[in-house]
Each structure stands twice: as C-alpha cells, then as structure tokens.
Amino acid sequence: MNRRLIDTSQLPDDLRSMTPTELRQVADELRDELINTVSQSGGHFASSLGANELTVALHACFNTPHDRLIWDVGHQAYIHKMLTGRRALMGSIRQKDGISGFLRRDESQFDAFGAGHAGTSISAGVGMKMALKHKDSDQFVVPIIGDGSLTSGMAFEALNHAGALRLDNFVVILNDNEMSISENVGALSWLFSRTLTGETSSKARGAVKKLRNRGYIPELLYKAVDRAEELTQSFFSTPAMLFEAFGFRYIGPVDGHDISALTTALQNAKRQDGPVLVHCYTTKGKGYQPAEADPIKWHGVTPFDPSKAEFRKAKQRTVAAPSYTGVFASALTDIAQEDPSIIAITAAMPGGTGLDKMAAVLPKQVNDVGICEQHAVTYAAGLACEGYKPVVAIYSTFLQRAYDQIVHDVCIQELPVVFAIDRAGVVGNDGETHQGVFDISYLRSIPNMVLMSPKDESELRDMVYSALSYKQPVALRYPRGNGVGVACNSAFSVIEQGKAEIVRTGSDALLIGFGPVVQNALSAAEQLHKQGIECTVVNARFAKPLDTTLLSKLLPEFSIVCTIEDHSIAGGFGSAVSEFVQTAGLSMKAPIKLFGVGDSFVPHGSQAEQQNLHGYDAATIAAFVQSKSFKRSKVA
C-alpha cells in the first residue's frame, strides 16, 4: 500500500463543537455499529469497546491530525478508525486488500505512528515531540497506552526520558482496564486531581511562576510550594507517586466512560506545564455484556451472533485436527506432570500460547511475566542456571524483541532453555507486524542453538519431549492454526538431533521441506505423480544442525532440487542448505530453487492467500517442477 486510503484532515471537526451529551450519543452509536461490524468480519473487539468514549473525547479535545494521537498496539483503535474516514471500510478490516487491524501511517494521516506490538507509543511520542519542539511547534503529542502495555519495560524507559526532558504539550493517556496496573483508588483522588489541575489552579500556578521568573518570589519558596502540592496529591493518589517520580503531572483516575469527566480532564491536561499523565479507568468490552464478563475470550474474535453471543461455526474439516498451540501445551503439560523442574514462561500471552491450560493443571509451573520478552528470556536463563528446565513460549514476532538476551544470556552460556516459538511463519489477518517469518534467520546464526520444526502435530509432541532432553538452547517453531489431522501417540520418543527423514521417494525431483510446509511438498508431489513425475520428499526437521549426511547423498543425485519453508528466503532454511552446498563443495546438476517469503513484508489476508502470494503453496511448487521436467524432457 503506497498511498493513504484516507486523506481527509478535517473529519473529527464536528465533534469539537458538540456538548458532552451529544458526544455521548456519538459514542453510543459507534459502539452499536462496532458490535454489528465486528460480529460480521471478526477482529479485535473488547479493547476497542473499552476505549470507545475515550476515543471520542480525545478527538473532541485535540486538533487531530495536527495534534498527534499515538495508539499503543492498535487493539484499542477501531473506534479511532471509524471516526477518521474508515467507517464504511470496517467490513474489510484484516481481509485481503482491506484496511489493517492495526495502525498504519500509509493508511491514514490520523495514524501518526504504525503500531502492532506493545509498549511503543510513549517512545515514539517523545521522538515526535522533540522533533516538533525543534520546529517551535505547539502541537500536542498524545500517546495512548493500555491493555497491559504499561508492563513493557520500554514504556518506563520512555516515561523516564520524557520526564527528564520536561516536555510541554505532551500528554500520556493511560487507558487502565485493570489488566495493567493498580485497582481503582476511588473518586477522592480524581476530585483532588481535578481541582489541582483545573483552570483556576493552573492560572494561579502560572501567575506564581511568572512572579518567580521576575524575581519577586524566591526560588526556594517556589520549589517548596510546588513540592507540597505534589506531596499532597500523592497522599490522595498512590499511582500519582509513581508518575510524579518520573516528572509527570498526574491527573486521575478518571472514569473512562464518562464523557464529561474525560473532556474536563483532557482540557485540564492541556493547561499544564511539562509532561502530563491522564489516568483513565475503563472496562474492557464495555457495552457488550459477554465481553465485559470474559474480556480475554472476546479480545480478538471470529464472526459471531451478537444476540446469542455465539461464534459462528467454521466449515467442518474432514479431520477434526487440534491446533499446533494446543498440541504443544498438552504435550508440555504431560511431560511437566512427571518433571517438576519444568517451568513454562509466557510474556502476557497465556491464552495465545496455550499455557493457560497448563496453568490450570500445574499453576506453580507456569509464570506470566507481563509484556516483557527481554525479561522472560533472561529470567529463563537464571532458572536454567539453578537446574530448572525453562520453556519460553512466545510468538515468533515478539521473540524478536529479546534477541540480545537470547545471544548474551542464553546461548553464550549454553544454557538449556527451550524456546517454543508459536505463530512461526505467516499468520494471516494480523498483517505485517505479526508475521513470524524472520526467526530462522535471526536464530540459526547463533552458536549453540538448535533449530527444529515438525511436519505435523504428532511430530510436534515428540519435538517438545526431545527439546527438553538436548541440554542446550533449542528453538522449536510451529505455526498458527490446526494440524493436519494425524493421530498423536500418547508415548513420547526422542528424535535424534540433526536427523531428517525421507517421507516419499521418487527419481525426478527432490523437495526438502522444513516444518509443516512439508505438507505442501507432499501435496505438490501427489499432483506431479498424476503427471508421471515422481518426487523424493524430505522432512528436514532441523534447520540447525542440518542432516549433512543425507543431504550429501541426495543433493547431487537430482537435477531439480527445491527447498520449501514458511519463512523469509533471505537467511532461512533454503539459505542454510545452499551454504552447505558451497562449504561442502558438492557438485550439483542444477541450482537449488528456494521457495518461501520474498523480500517484502507480508500483508494481511488468509494464510493460504499469503502462501500463494509468495509462491510456496503446493500448486506453485508443482507448476515449477512440471515446467523444469518438461524442459528437461525436450532437451533429452
């Protein structure tokens, strides 16, 4: 997408002339429409419901897009999209060629910063505000952080920097849906904060500051009065102590569903000197009772019946296959029940990684560290130092955030930490920010690392068991979605490290698959068989170490050799095979064809559409082999 879909800069203007009652009516209409739209299209749901009134108030109080709203993650931003020219496009959200489920600068000028991962908003806002300060601009910069993102260490680094810079016109909104920090401390704190930051108090403070600057009030007295004000506010509000320590003036807590209270708080925030934090309490899923009752279940949804609160049934598969995530969690739970030294770790994704199921059975053996991937990895390293067997279950796209910890804290020390890399490969409708197509390249170059992936769910169970037996760092990658429907053995077997297997034999072409895309190779081989072309298909199992014995035997025998991976071609599994050919000095009949993701980010769409777009689906593989076989037969 090279140009913005939406380029209308005045869309929220009407909101700025409305009364709180009229703004409430707008918010109610948007909530009803959001429920209706997402029930048809699916998408992130509960978080945007919770941020409904807050979003309306922000656009009413700030001159967007001149003032910059920076949304953290993007889960909260569906109402923002609806208010900024994309209301009619919401039915296409997260669909191929539709609008993004997250924030994209190339989609709308109201999307000041692209966001799919947590904890980025305040850092980006500090950078923007400093740039605007150098331009002598009085534009407001407003990061909105919430939905647990404040557990991210990066957010606190940014708060510390912003406070030290004493940035004016910098207002951080903490959308606290009680999935991030403290419980509500009551109305008294907001009452005091509202008084302290109101128009009269702000004018008085400004007048005193002018007198200080002119020398009429001693600096010592001015600081004493200012400090007394901070201490008094801190007495009434525990969260204020934290944010005042970072150099922020604290306003709140505010009822995030009370338009009148929100607009008052935001207008007060605009009057302050230095950085301000407005603390809003919201209810995730607000306005749709099932989502309020179970905000985790309704965080991201497939199409559903809003009147019955029932998800619409997907088309029945021929075989009722379990998800790879579920198979991993089940296998780890089975093994951990016999071994109390196994500790599973998640970074705020117990449901997404399946570890919530393990926690229900073995609560003392599952740790959720919050949105802190760096800490999760080094924490695991510390456990391993004391003889425990940590398993760090993190999505591929989020493990990128802990790269130095993998190198420095795990691999250099050769500690037996298992990385269970969920959502490896293309992930479908989440789009560019969530595709897990870089982990092979960023992991296989690290010494001491083992990198493996199963062809199906049964092999995944054995790989979980095997990884825990290898006594060194292991990365086990598996995709989003369901397995292929094979039966899973209840007993476990250890897979010999670096050992591949031949799963189909033929003399015309060699197809080497890594991970579940071995199924693509098998499907392509079956299509080619009907054309009289016979393929050998290899399940590599390991990208590091490679099965060099098998490769040395097979590679020189074939004039058509293909590698298939659900990953970027650059630095991926195929690259590893090509590097081996060079270093081993193998004599090849023809160059290796590498199938995988090309040198571009993967847009949102279904996983099948994404594999087809980058040409490593079964049909494309078969067409390539057929074309090469046809040319070879003509030469013969």
Side-chain angles (χ1 to χ4, degrees):
M1 196 179 297
N2 296 317
R3 64 182 182 83
R4 291 190 174 112
L5 292 175
I6 308 300
D7 197 33
T8 304
S9 61
Q10 304 300 318
L11 288 172
D13 274 5
D14 289 345
L15 296 176
R16 293 165 197 146
S17 61
M18 290 184 181
T19 66
T21 300
E22 292 170 327
L23 291 173
R24 159 59 70 182
Q25 182 178 344
V26 170
D28 289 344
E29 292 173 358
L30 289 170
R31 173 174 280 111
D32 290 343
E33 188 170 330
L34 180 69
I35 293 170
N36 181 61
T37 301
V38 177
S39 71
Q40 300 299 316
S41 65
H44 291 103
F45 186 55
S47 297
S48 286
L49 286 175
N52 181 29
E53 289 81 7
L54 175 59
T55 307
V56 172
L58 284 166
H59 279 291
C61 292
F62 290 96
N63 181 26
T64 56
H66 178 75
D67 293 332
R68 313 295 198 222
L69 297 187
I70 308 173
W71 295 90
D72 212 279
V73 182
H75 295 160
Q76 315 168 79
Y78 281 26
I79 298 295
H80 163 80
K81 288 175 177 283
M82 294 169 73
L83 281 171
T84 54
R86 287 163 279 187
R87 196 167 180 173
L89 301 173
M90 291 300 290
S92 72
I93 199 163
R94 291 160 45 92
Q95 308 300 315
K96 187 175 184 292
D97 300 324
I99 61 173
S100 172
F102 297 99
L103 285 306
R104 288 191 54 158
R105 284 169 51 80
D106 61 2
E107 186 175 287
S108 170
Q109 58 191 326
F110 287 91
D111 293 359
F113 193 75
H117 294 185
T120 62
S121 60
I122 305 176
S123 294
V126 173
M128 288 185 190
K129 188 63 236 182
M130 283 301 291
L132 293 170
K133 183 178 179 180
H134 286 309
K135 297 176 183 178
D136 292 323
S137 171
D138 61 355
Q139 290 162 271
F140 280 90
V141 173
V142 187
I144 304 101
I145 188 166
D147 208 22
S149 296
L150 202 66
T151 62
S152 169
M154 182 174 167
F156 283 92
E157 293 173 17
L159 285 171
N160 184 57
H161 190 202
L165 293 172
R166 298 296 300 164
L167 294 175
D168 289 327
N169 295 352
F170 188 74
V171 181
V172 173
I173 309 298
L174 173 55
N175 176 21
D176 184 357
N177 55 23
E178 297 185 349
M179 301 187 77
S180 50
I181 64 169
S182 60
E183 295 182 1
N184 197 326
V185 296
L188 183 60
S189 175
W190 164 230
L191 174 65
F192 184 79
S193 179
R194 182 175 58 191
T195 302
L196 196 62
T197 59
E199 185 173 5
T200 301
S201 298
S202 297
K203 285 182 178 178
R205 191 182 303 108
V208 172
K209 186 175 182 179
K210 288 179 181 178
L211 291 173
R212 186 276 309 265
N213 292 340
R214 293 176 184 174
Y216 295 123
I217 294 178
E219 180 72 16
L220 186 62
L221 178 59
Y222 176 81
K223 287 185 176 180
V225 171
D226 193 53
R227 181 61 179 152
E229 185 180 90
E230 291 178 2
L231 288 172
T232 306
Q233 184 172 9
S234 296
F235 176 80
F236 282 93
S237 174
T238 301
M241 297 177 67
L242 171 64
F243 299 113
E244 293 281 1
F246 280 110
F248 279 71
R249 180 165 292 280
Y250 174 88
I251 296 177
V254 186
D255 182 349
H257 302 293
D258 183 334
I259 292 281
S260 180
L262 283 168
T263 54
T264 299
L266 294 175
Q267 295 297 351
N268 287 351
K270 293 170 69 173
R271 299 186 182 100
Q272 309 307 308
D273 295 326
V276 182
L277 185 135
V278 180
H279 186 176
C280 305
Y281 277 110
T282 61
T283 299
K284 193 168 181 176
K286 181 70 174 178
Y288 187 66
Q289 196 280 326
E292 290 187 40
D294 191 348
I296 296 176
K297 175 182 177 180
W298 292 88
H299 172 76
V301 299
T302 55
F304 63 95
D305 183 333
S307 62
K308 297 179 180 179
E310 294 177 352
F311 294 105
R312 304 185 195 280
K313 293 182 178 180
K315 294 180 180 179
Q316 293 295 315
R317 296 171 60 90
T318 304
V319 178
S323 70
Y324 281 99
T325 298
V327 170
F328 155 75
S330 175
L332 186 62
T333 302
D334 290 347
I335 300 166
Q337 284 179 312
E338 303 299 323
D339 187 349
S341 69
I342 293 173
I343 304 293
I345 301 163
T346 176
M349 297 294 290
T353 59
L355 292 183
D356 57 337
K357 305 295 191 298
M358 180 174 169
V361 179
L362 302 168
K364 293 183 179 180
Q365 290 177 249
V366 178
N367 295 164
D368 184 350
V369 301
I371 304 176
C372 305
E373 291 84 3
Q374 293 171 300
H375 167 61
V377 172
T378 305
Y379 169 59
L383 286 169
C385 285
E386 297 299 327
Y388 280 81
K389 300 175 183 176
V391 178
V392 183
I394 295 179
Y395 292 6
S396 172
T397 186
F398 298 142
L399 191 62
Q400 296 163 181
R401 311 182 89 180
Y403 187 70
D404 182 60
Q405 286 69 30
I406 297 170
V407 174
H408 182 271
D409 300 330
V410 176
C411 288
I412 287 177
Q413 303 182 84
E414 202 169 355
L415 292 169
V417 176
V418 175
F419 297 97
I421 307 176
D422 203 325
R423 271 63 166 182
V426 293
V427 298
N429 297 325
D430 281 341
E432 295 94 330
T433 58
H434 282 58
Q435 307 299 339
V437 296
F438 305 111
D439 54 84
I440 300 174
S441 57
Y442 72 67
L443 290 173
R444 75 176 182 87
S445 60
I446 308 175
N448 298 326
M449 177 66 81
V450 173
L451 182 52
M452 58 203 298
S453 187
K455 70 179 184 299
D456 56 39
E457 59 267 43
S458 179
E459 195 166 62
L460 174 57
R461 280 181 60 84
D462 286 339
M463 283 192 173
V464 174
Y465 185 73
S466 301
L468 287 161
S469 73
Y470 289 161
K471 311 302 181 186
Q472 69 184 94
V474 179
L476 169 57
R477 72 189 308 264
Y478 47 93
R480 181 182 192 175
N482 292 343
V484 298
V486 299
C488 293
N489 295 325
S490 57
F492 292 100
S493 299
V494 173
I495 297 171
E496 182 182 345
Q497 191 177 126
K499 186 70 172 177
E501 65 170 351
I502 297 173
V503 293
R504 182 174 180 136
T505 58
S507 59
D508 296 316
L510 174 63
L511 309 180
I512 310 170
F514 180 59
V517 288
V518 168
Q519 306 303 325
N520 294 23
L522 287 169
S523 179
E526 185 60 28
Q527 294 176 40
L528 291 163
H529 167 70
K530 295 174 182 178
Q531 302 174 38
I533 302 169
E534 302 301 334
C535 300
T536 289
V537 178
V538 172
N539 169 28
R541 286 178 171 160
F542 294 86
K544 184 180 182 181
L546 293 171
D547 189 339
T548 55
T549 301
L550 183 64
L551 291 176
S552 296
K553 177 179 182 296
L554 292 179
L555 288 172
E557 293 182 1
F558 291 87
S559 57
I560 303 173
V561 177
C562 306
T563 62
I564 303 102
E565 61 193 296
D566 192 8
H567 184 273
S568 170
I569 291 172
F573 170 73
S575 292
V577 175
S578 297
E579 290 163 17
F580 169 68
V581 169
Q582 291 294 319
T583 56
L586 296 184
S587 178
M588 300 287 293
K589 294 181 180 179
I592 300 173
K593 170 65 176 177
L594 310 184
F595 286 94
V597 175
D599 188 22
S600 62
F601 290 106
V602 181
H604 52 268
S606 71
Q607 287 168 290
E609 289 170 334
Q610 290 166 338
Q611 290 192 13
N612 176 260
L613 174 67
H614 284 268
Y616 60 99
D617 58 307
T620 304
I621 297 165
F624 171 81
V625 174
Q626 194 277 333
S627 68
K628 292 296 181 182
S629 299
F630 177 75
K631 290 178 182 177
R632 188 181 63 183
S633 63
K634 284 188 68 174
V635 171

